[in-house]
Amino acid sequence: MDRSQNLRADDGLLLLGRLDGRLHSSACTDIYLARARLTGAAALAGLAGVPIAVRDLQAWIAGRSPPPRASEGLNDPFSVAAIFHLALSRDDDAQDPIARATLNILRSILDDRAEAEAYGRDDLAHFGPLWRQVRAAADAPFPDKDLRAVADRVFELSQLTAQTSADAADVVTVDGRSWALPPRSRDRNWLIAAAMPRMLHRAGFTSLSIPSLILLPKFLPPSPAALTAAIAEALAAAATEGLRELAVIERAVERGRDNLRVTKRSKAPALTRLLITYPGLQASAVARLLGVTPQGARKLLAGLPEPSGPMLV
């Protein structure tokens, strides 16, 4: 990279370091990571050719709709439910207690494996083993702790996920000739992108895996050098947005706390945080998460004051 590209890369890394530091000291890290997980999953779905919004995932998690696009009669190349499950499985072995807790909370609301089996069984069978290979290869030690090493790893993973000749379709013509037709192209870069937060963490850029750091474009540039510049630019934008999102969450939590007039034993503050994370949660999910009866959950929901500011979605 030239001098100007190096400056942009440094700017992105400085912003990322600031975000990473803020997440260590913020009281809202759990909310941020949970919402970042949805942001990252929506970005992955877009890379896979099934564009969705974060609010679509929130409606599914809240039990207000089936998986995004599942009931729209679209000829999608992938199931959103399968993409979401594979994205969540990236953090199955997370060591950070906050990241682990947020994943457990999400899975206590939504059984992502069961949903993926119901709506994307073929995708799980086809891409599950490949995803495990990608994740294992992404975890290999990096020779250098810079963005170029990450870009090189992405190109290595691209080779791993490339179609092989064994996947070609054998066709016999009417005159007896045999042809090997190439398979229908299925973009697999989203599988590599799913591992990006993990790679940034393993390479030492972040102290924990930040699920929204997808960073990859839909189509890879022609060389690792070009990809390094693209990652640096995307990293700066993602870190800037992450800092903004964290500040918005912190203000929403503070505003919700100020609006409550409850005792120290009340579960209303915990419910307020849950609803910032997953808007529209139904009483049954609230009852499971807070350990109250369904009737108690409905009473808690009804007793929350109207928001005094804009709702997070």
Side-chain angles (χ1 to χ4, degrees):
M1 292 190 293
D2 61 25
R3 177 176 172 80
S4 62
Q5 288 175 319
N6 276 323
L7 287 175
R8 286 198 297 271
D10 290 342
D11 287 345
L13 293 176
L14 287 172
L15 288 167
L16 180 61
R18 183 181 174 194
L19 173 61
D20 193 61
R22 288 283 311 279
L23 290 176
H24 274 282
S25 59
S26 176
C28 299
T29 299
D30 56 337
I31 300 175
Y32 176 87
L33 290 178
R35 291 176 61 91
R37 194 170 280 121
L38 305 188
T39 301
L44 289 176
L47 290 177
V50 284
I52 59 171
V54 169
R55 62 178 176 272
D56 299 325
L57 292 172
Q58 290 172 332
W60 175 32
I61 293 168
R64 291 182 277 118
S65 72
R69 304 174 67 97
S71 60
E72 299 176 21
L74 302 172
N75 187 26
D76 287 336
F78 304 102
S79 161
V80 172
I83 293 172
F84 190 61
H85 169 68
L86 293 179
L88 293 189
S89 71
R90 174 188 56 229
D91 299 325
D92 280 345
D93 58 352
Q95 300 299 311
D96 181 77
I98 297 179
R100 188 72 191 175
T102 59
L103 182 59
N104 290 340
I105 288 173
L106 173 55
R107 283 178 162 163
S108 69
I109 304 171
L110 179 79
D111 188 340
D112 57 291
R113 177 73 192 193
E115 293 284 290
E117 288 283 357
Y119 291 95
R121 180 186 297 270
D122 290 345
D123 288 334
L124 281 187
H126 191 79
F127 292 102
L130 182 58
W131 163 240
R132 288 188 285 274
Q133 293 181 51
V134 168
R135 187 175 62 179
D139 282 349
F142 285 87
D144 299 297
K145 303 293 185 179
D146 55 22
L147 291 181
R148 176 56 187 264
V150 175
D152 287 337
R153 180 65 52 82
V154 169
F155 271 80
E156 292 170 9
L157 297 178
S158 179
Q159 292 295 320
L160 177 65
T161 61
Q163 291 277 13
T164 63
S165 58
D167 291 329
D170 293 327
V171 177
V172 179
T173 62
V174 292
D175 58 1
R177 291 178 296 169
S178 178
W179 294 82
L181 298 180
R184 179 170 61 93
S185 177
R186 300 190 73 177
D187 181 23
R188 300 180 178 186
N189 282 346
W190 65 271
L191 282 170
I192 305 172
M196 280 298 292
R198 199 174 176 101
M199 285 192 282
L200 291 171
H201 173 53
R202 299 287 184 179
F205 291 106
T206 60
S207 59
L208 71 167
S209 179
I210 302 176
S212 55
L213 298 181
I214 300 304
L215 304 183
L216 291 188
K218 185 173 179 63
F219 302 106
L220 293 182
S223 68
L227 180 59
T228 302
I231 291 176
E233 184 176 351
L235 187 61
T240 300
E241 176 60 22
L243 288 166
R244 185 202 68 81
E245 170 84 358
L246 181 58
V248 170
I249 291 171
E250 290 172 337
R251 288 195 296 270
V253 169
E254 183 178 0
R255 190 166 56 240
R257 185 170 56 244
D258 292 342
N259 289 340
L260 291 175
R261 298 293 182 267
V262 295
T263 65
K264 290 184 178 181
R265 296 180 60 186
S266 173
K267 294 184 182 292
L271 176 58
T272 300
R273 295 175 68 90
L274 276 175
L275 292 178
I276 292 174
T277 309
Y278 304 117
L281 278 182
Q282 294 184 343
S284 57
V286 172
R288 285 198 306 275
L289 291 171
L290 298 184
V292 299
T293 64
Q295 182 180 3
R298 287 191 292 270
K299 185 176 180 180
L300 280 170
L301 288 167
L304 289 180
E306 290 294 326
S308 58
M311 290 290 291
L312 284 174
V313 295

